[in-house]
Structure formats: structure tokens, C-alpha cells
Amino acid sequence: LKFAGGSSTPTAGSGPMRTPEGVAKMTDENNDLIFYTNGSRVYSKDNSLVAQGLNGDTSLIQGVAILPKTTCKGCQSEYYIFTMSKNAAGENQLYYSIYDRKLNGGRGGVSVMNQFLSPAPSADRFAVSVGGGDYFWLQTQDINSNVLRTFKVSKAGISAPTVSNTSSSATNITASSHFSRDGKVLAIAYVSPPSNQIDIYDFDVATGNSTFRYRIPLVGSPYGVEFSADARIVYASVQGSSTSQIWQYSIASNDSTQMQNSKSLLWS
């Protein structure tokens, strides 16, 4: 989908990729497409297939993520593709591949494939955030656990994770998580059990630590979660018993009562 000319109505493009759930794309400093992937196949900006065989699971809600290897705007050529693949016990484990846009005559390709990153059994989602001027954060949550693992990704490589504790445990049924544009607020959606909810955290972009702020109770099962550009509003898509809805909440205040009073139904 492409939004152009200030229009709130997108135009639909066409492409060869078909996938049930998570996807990721990377754009350049002008917001032009570089490549995209479903964690299994990788396509260049001209929609040609440039790599396949990545071990990502296409049935996961956020099972693939992309981050630059460095922050060299205009000369960036290599990117990490993070994927999840199940072990013999059915647990998601973390891997990475490297996309190099210089390969295949400038169309790009994968130079490193399916390198093992972490054995920690993970819920079905990656979240990515900006950090400082030269690094990013990649975050996962251990399955059936309150442990958040946040990896620092920089020109030095991928660090050992910073560990924080969440207010809620991730079960085998998961919804999405997302950082605000400035990286300072984190929203994690949970499906019952423990309950249908979104937990809001303050995120320290210098250390990678997450601090619980409050919980947003939901009337139905959440799927997607997103922030407004200024991080003052959070949106949630919710599946009810007979309909789907989009709700918005103001999180400008740290007061949970004010947040609840700001609830507004945008679409049903």
C-alpha cells in the first residue's frame, strides 16, 4: 500500500510475495524501497526474487525484522535480517542473515544466511527501535515468561541482550508489539491468557531497559498495535465476538485513569 500526495486513501501496488503474516521492508534515506522479505524469501525493489531459503517462519505475527549494520546514510549497503525458526521442541529460536545491496549487479542479495543468534525460546514477535546515533535495538520476549531480551545492534555487531522483566507473561498465543518512532515508549499487546490488554512501557534508548507504566484493558482479542507519530496516542486492532474494531487511547499522561477516559472507537 502506498500513501501519496497527502491522501489518506492508499493505492495498492502489486508484487510476487504471498504470506500469511509477518513481513519486513527496508527503505533508504529518501523512503524509497530497497528490499523486503517474509523471512523465507527476499525480494529487491523491482520485485525480483534475490534469495530464498532463509529459515523464517511465515506463520508468526512478527517473525522477521530488518536493521542496518551501520547508520551510514546514503552509503549503507548491508542489513541484518532477523528470523525465528522452531527447534525440535517447537520453540522459536533466533537467527540472522545479512542482505548486501551491492550483490547481483546492484539488485542485492543475501551474503550470510541463517546464523544462530540465541537459543532462548521466544514469543512470535520481534520489535525494533532506534537507539543513539549509531545503534538500534532488537527486542524479543521469552515464551511463557516475563523476560524481555533487548539486543544492541551497531557497527560493532550484535551484543549480548539486556534483560528486563515485563508485567505480563507471553503465552503461546501472542499479539504484536511496537516502539514509538523516537523509541522511548513500548507497547506490547497480549491475548488472554493472561488477559486481553496492552502494556505500556517507558524505554531507555541508552541502556535498552524497559520500565512498566500501566496497562490498557481491552474488550476483545488484540492483534496489531501502533503509535501516532508524536507517541501521544496508541491504536489497537481488536477482534470481538462478532466484529473487529480499532480503538485509540491517549497516553500523553502517566495517569492510567486519564488514559482510560480517553478511549475512543475509531472503526468497527
Side-chain angles (χ1 to χ4, degrees), residues 67-138:
L67 282 174
K69 285 193 70 177
T70 66
T71 54
C72 177
K73 291 184 177 180
C75 62
Q76 175 72 46
S77 65
E78 292 183 305
Y79 302 83
Y80 290 109
I81 302 174
F82 297 97
T83 57
M84 295 182 182
S85 183
K86 287 182 171 57
N87 61 15
E91 300 168 332
N92 294 323
Q93 296 186 314
L94 310 184
Y95 293 81
Y96 72 87
S97 301
I98 296 176
Y99 174 90
D100 189 340
R101 65 190 301 186
K102 300 190 302 295
L103 298 178
N104 295 319
R107 289 194 302 120
V110 172
S111 58
V112 175
M113 187 177 291
N114 298 333
Q115 298 297 297
F116 189 68
L117 175 59
S118 173
S122 176
D124 296 354
R125 58 191 181 207
F126 286 115
V128 295
S129 171
V130 296
D134 61 352
Y135 62 89
F136 302 90
W137 295 106
L138 174 82

Side-chain angles (χ1 to χ4, degrees), residues 22-262:
V23 296
K25 69 175 177 66
M26 179 54 63
T27 57
D28 62 18
E29 67 277 8
N30 297 317
N31 205 34
D32 292 324
L33 184 66
I34 300 174
F35 72 101
Y36 59 98
T37 178
N38 62 357
S40 175
R41 297 185 173 197
V42 182
Y43 297 85
S44 69
K45 61 184 178 181
D46 64 1
N47 294 321
S48 60
L49 178 67
V50 295
Q52 55 186 323
L54 277 70
N55 61 358
D57 186 339
T58 60
S59 69
L60 307 184
I61 183 170
Q62 289 176 306
V64 59
I66 303 170
L67 282 174
K69 285 193 70 177
T70 66
T71 54
C72 177
K73 291 184 177 180
C75 62
Q76 175 72 46
S77 65
E78 292 183 305
Y79 302 83
Y80 290 109
I81 302 174
F82 297 97
T83 57
M84 295 182 182
S85 183
K86 287 182 171 57
N87 61 15
E91 300 168 332
N92 294 323
Q93 296 186 314
L94 310 184
Y95 293 81
Y96 72 87
S97 301
I98 296 176
Y99 174 90
D100 189 340
R101 65 190 301 186
K102 300 190 302 295
L103 298 178
N104 295 319
R107 289 194 302 120
V110 172
S111 58
V112 175
M113 187 177 291
N114 298 333
Q115 298 297 297
F116 189 68
L117 175 59
S118 173
S122 176
D124 296 354
R125 58 191 181 207
F126 286 115
V128 295
S129 171
V130 296
D134 61 352
Y135 62 89
F136 302 90
W137 295 106
L138 174 82
Q139 186 182 81
T140 63
Q141 182 173 353
D142 290 5
I143 195 68
N144 297 318
S145 170
N146 292 68
V147 172
L148 282 177
R149 299 180 187 271
T150 310
F151 300 83
K152 188 176 186 178
V153 180
S154 69
K155 59 185 177 183
I158 307 168
S159 73
T162 298
V163 174
S164 302
N165 289 322
T166 65
S167 182
S168 303
S169 176
T171 65
N172 287 319
I173 302 174
T174 60
S176 64
S177 62
H178 212 82
F179 282 96
S180 60
R181 183 177 295 183
D182 62 7
K184 295 181 179 180
V185 190
L186 167 66
I188 306 178
Y190 292 93
V191 176
S192 179
S195 63
N196 295 316
Q197 65 194 54
I198 297 172
D199 288 354
I200 301 295
Y201 292 82
D202 294 308
F203 184 74
D204 189 330
V205 296
T207 66
N209 286 310
S210 303
T211 303
F212 180 71
R213 185 191 297 182
Y214 51 56
R215 176 165 298 133
I216 302 175
L218 300 173
V219 296
S221 174
Y223 188 82
V225 62
E226 183 58 276
F227 287 94
S228 62
D230 61 6
R232 296 170 66 87
I233 295 173
V234 67
Y235 306 93
S237 60
V238 174
Q239 300 177 39
S241 59
S242 60
T243 187
S244 296
Q245 300 170 331
I246 298 176
W247 290 88
Q248 76 170 30
Y249 301 82
S250 172
I251 60 168
S253 168
N254 283 346
D255 186 292
S256 60
T257 300
Q258 290 187 30
M259 177 275 298
Q260 286 289 346
N261 292 336
S262 75

